[in-house]
Amino acid sequence: MAKEKIILGIDPGTTIMGFGLIKVVGKTMTFLQLNELDLKKYDDHYLKLKLIFERTIELIDTHHPDEIAIEAPFFGKNVQSMLKLGRAQGVAMAAGLSREIPITEYSPKKIKMAITGNGNATKEQVAKMLQSLLGLKTIPKNLDATDGLAAAVCHFYNDGRVEIGKSYTGWSAFIKQNEDRIKK
C-alpha cells in the first residue's frame, strides 16, 4: 500500500499569511485546502505574530501535516520589512517545531522553478499552473494563498532530494544547523 502524507505549505507575511495543504499518496498529490490569514486590520506587530503562531498551530492540529514547507524570505533593500518577514517565518516555524514536524525552507525562486519551470515566473503564472496541476476551480484574489500552496507542491516535487534546502526535524537540529548564527 502506498504511503500517505500531508504537506502544509506556508507563505509567511505580516500582512497576509498564505497557506495550502496537499495530500500525497505514493507519487500522486491531491489538493486539500488553500486559504490565507488576513492581518491587515491589526496595527500591533506582536499581535500579528501571535495570530500567525496560533493559526499555524490550528492548521497543524486540524490537518495533522507530516511535513511543512515554508517560503524563505527574499532579500530586499528594506531592512525593516525583512525583519518583520523573518519574524513571521520564525513564529510559523516555531509552531511546527513545537509539534515536532519537519520543516523545509525554499527560496521563492526555487518554488517558482518547481511549479512553472521558470524561477522568474509571476505570482499569476504560478497560480495558473497550480490551477491546472491540481484542478482548482478558481484562483483566489490574493495570491498569497497560492504561494503557500506552491511551497507544498514544490516540497512534493523535491521529495527525497538532499539539496532541497534547509530542513529541521526539531529544535536541536535547528540549533545544530545554525550554530554560527546563535550567540553563546
Side-chain angles (χ1 to χ4, degrees), residues 155-169:
H155 187 66
F156 166 71
Y157 285 150
N158 284 281
D159 189 33
R161 295 191 188 154
V162 178
E163 76 279 0
I164 53 179
K166 292 186 178 179
S167 191
Y168 311 111
T169 54

Side-chain angles (χ1 to χ4, degrees), residues 14 45-53 84 87-88 91:
T14 56
H45 180 67
Y46 300 106
L47 175 60
K48 290 180 180 189
L49 295 175
K50 178 181 181 278
L51 294 170
I52 291 167
F53 184 85
K84 287 179 180 178
R87 287 175 176 166
V91 295

Side-chain angles (χ1 to χ4, degrees), residues 77-116:
K77 293 185 186 207
N78 187 329
V79 176
Q80 285 302 313
S81 294
M82 278 298 300
L83 182 61
K84 287 179 180 178
L85 193 57
R87 287 175 176 166
Q89 181 197 33
V91 295
M93 290 172 77
L97 291 169
S98 75
R99 295 293 199 262
E100 298 184 0
I101 300 171
I103 298 169
T104 305
E105 293 179 80
Y106 295 94
S107 71
K109 201 172 205 63
K110 177 112 178 159
I111 293 171
K112 291 173 182 179
M113 181 63 116
I115 306 303
T116 67

Side-chain angles (χ1 to χ4, degrees), residues 12-23:
T14 56
T15 305
I16 297 174
M17 178 184 91
F19 58 88
L21 289 137
I22 58 172
K23 180 161 88 171

